[in-house]
Amino acid sequence: MVEQEIKLYVPPAAREAVKARLTKLPGPRRVRLRAMYFDTPSRWLARHLAAIRLRLEGRQWVQTFKMAGADSVSRIELNHRRPGPELDLSVYAGTPAEPLFAALDGELALRYETDVMRLVRQVRVRRANIEIAYDVGAVRAPGFEAQINEIEFERTAGWVDALFGVAIDWVKEHGLVLDARSKAERGDALARAGTVLAQALPEDEARVRAAQRAQLDAPVGAAKLDLPADATPALALQMLSQSAFDQIVRNAALIAMAPAGADMAEHVHQLRVGVRRLRSGWRLLRGWTTLPEPALQEDARRFFQAFGAARDTDVLLDTVFPTLEQAGMPPLARPVRAEGDAAGMAASHAFQTWLIELLRWLASLPARSAVSQAVAGNDGAEPYAPLAVARLRKWHRAVLRDGARYRELDEHARHALRKDVKRLRYGLGFARAYFESARLKPYLKRLSTLQDVLGEVNDLAVARGYFLQRAHAEPAAWFAVGWIAARLSALESETVREVEALGKTRKFW
């Protein structure tokens, strides 16, 4: 059985309105669901994006296996009624689950539990039936617990496209937040934290608990992407877009759910890295396969810039001001960080709608198994690897060309060079499987250094504009303007040196 659903977090301010709306819909049903999830000590199932549980649904025990499906909203789900809370793996003979259980690397044991009260409703929309399930409860592992307050929209019949329309309607009405984390994913994270806590010495327990709790909400970086050697541009588009989307949506959810006053600067940075990776991947593949519609691409640019404004403030307060104060800047009041700016953008209807539309586009792509069959040479499909390598070499030459005349570039052109360096770096990340590691690593290291230098140039250029605005009324700001000018001059020489060093580095091809 294939399950297709969209899950959204329900913020505190929306909960009463969501309940009230649900009570007006047909099919009233409330059920308490208590589930136990199992895995091996090495997390064999979790590492393969799968989970098995025993759940008491009213008075009936149900054994359920889930694993990732063909697209971003689909899951393989196998349900079997059980007379009691005992696992029976024999039911998976001849199913997609059989290979995973045949290769288990240890005994299955209880890892975490969930306990929720579910309110279920059915709605009929054009060409589809949608089941709405509102879950309130908790997921628990030894030593840790997390609250659950989420609503799921599952297609039970008809066109899957209707699922996205319903989700967007509820987002617009109630300010819901797309959350890609399943209960199993959250429970597995709690169980890992509990394992670390259990190994801590008594005197270290409080410190370890705090560190593990922080790790549960840590920013999400880019996952390693391994494209098949015979990938076509269509398969590359699907895989790199899904990878970037996962990074974006997970950081966005954490930002939107963060308590007031939480430091989310790194989450904002990682969200923007995800958007940059997405746009770089699309740029890399332009002309070789069908990209998303222009409106979706334009929104990616627009939201990247919007979150960039929030990051500029973070850099000013957390990096530039401390550096200037240490350098001897006279007392100068710091700007007030706009409370909730990034959180408000992450939770906004416009941004959440873009995420769901991006999810709709990802789900519309052919199933990965089908795309994977269109290997190089079949059905006229061109191989991705040589196309990507040729384009990356072109981008490399453009960076060296523009970098060689860096002193002559105006501020706009220097910013464009920084974007080109980032695009090249992310593009290499999408094609690293096609290069020798011994060649690629030194090149990436040098490219990363150049990116860091250009990043500091950009941050200081933004800060200079801020201090110039204040300098006419606050003379102390002139210190900042002068210090930044001197530092930018030094960075100009450093940039030229780094470009020259990149040109002398052994090429990645």
Side-chain angles (χ1 to χ4, degrees), residues 86-166:
E86 297 87 24
L87 291 173
D88 179 8
L89 302 186
S90 68
V91 299
Y92 300 122
T95 73
E98 183 179 18
L100 269 181
F101 289 112
L104 282 177
D105 60 355
E107 292 293 325
L108 292 174
L110 177 65
R111 291 272 292 167
Y112 51 92
E113 300 177 75
T114 60
D115 187 354
V116 305
M117 186 62 72
R118 170 169 288 182
L119 177 61
V120 182
R121 294 292 189 268
Q122 303 284 340
V123 294
R124 173 68 184 173
V125 295
R126 186 181 180 188
R127 295 182 176 179
N129 293 333
I130 306 294
E131 180 179 272
I132 305 175
Y134 182 26
D135 289 347
V136 178
V139 53
R140 301 184 181 99
F144 290 92
E145 177 176 318
Q147 297 304 303
I148 295 171
N149 209 300
E150 61 192 30
I151 191 165
E152 298 175 356
F153 301 92
E154 180 180 352
R155 181 193 69 88
T156 56
W159 288 25
V160 70
D161 193 65
L163 196 60
F164 301 95
V166 172

Side-chain angles (χ1 to χ4, degrees), residues 375-418:
V375 297
N378 290 351
D379 302 325
E382 294 185 76
Y384 163 72
L387 293 171
V389 172
R391 183 159 286 176
L392 289 168
R393 291 174 65 177
K394 180 179 178 181
W395 289 0
H396 162 80
R397 291 193 295 269
V399 165
L400 294 185
R401 181 194 66 230
D402 294 339
R405 53 190 188 91
Y406 183 77
R407 297 184 189 278
E408 307 166 19
L409 302 180
D410 59 23
E411 191 167 301
H412 176 77
R414 291 182 176 188
H415 183 61
L417 174 62
R418 174 173 173 259

Side-chain angles (χ1 to χ4, degrees), residues 237-296:
L237 174 69
Q238 183 187 70
M239 292 183 67
L240 65 85
S241 297
Q242 183 65 58
S243 175
F245 175 79
D246 286 344
Q247 184 179 8
I248 296 166
V249 73
R250 280 172 163 72
N251 284 294
L254 291 169
I255 295 167
M257 298 177 193
D263 181 6
M264 305 304 288
E266 184 59 23
H267 295 75
V268 173
H269 171 64
Q270 290 298 332
L271 184 153
R272 295 184 78 242
V273 169
V275 178
R276 175 74 79 181
R277 291 176 65 226
L278 186 69
R279 298 179 67 206
S280 296
W282 289 346
R283 181 74 174 268
L284 180 64
L285 290 161
R286 185 174 296 170
W288 307 332
T289 189
T290 303
L291 299 180
E293 61 185 29
L296 208 58

Side-chain angles (χ1 to χ4, degrees), residues 27-43:
R29 182 159 62 94
R30 288 179 67 88
V31 60
R32 186 179 181 186
L33 303 173
R34 289 172 288 178
M36 301 180 293
Y37 288 75
F38 300 83
D39 207 337
T40 68
S42 71
R43 306 173 46 252

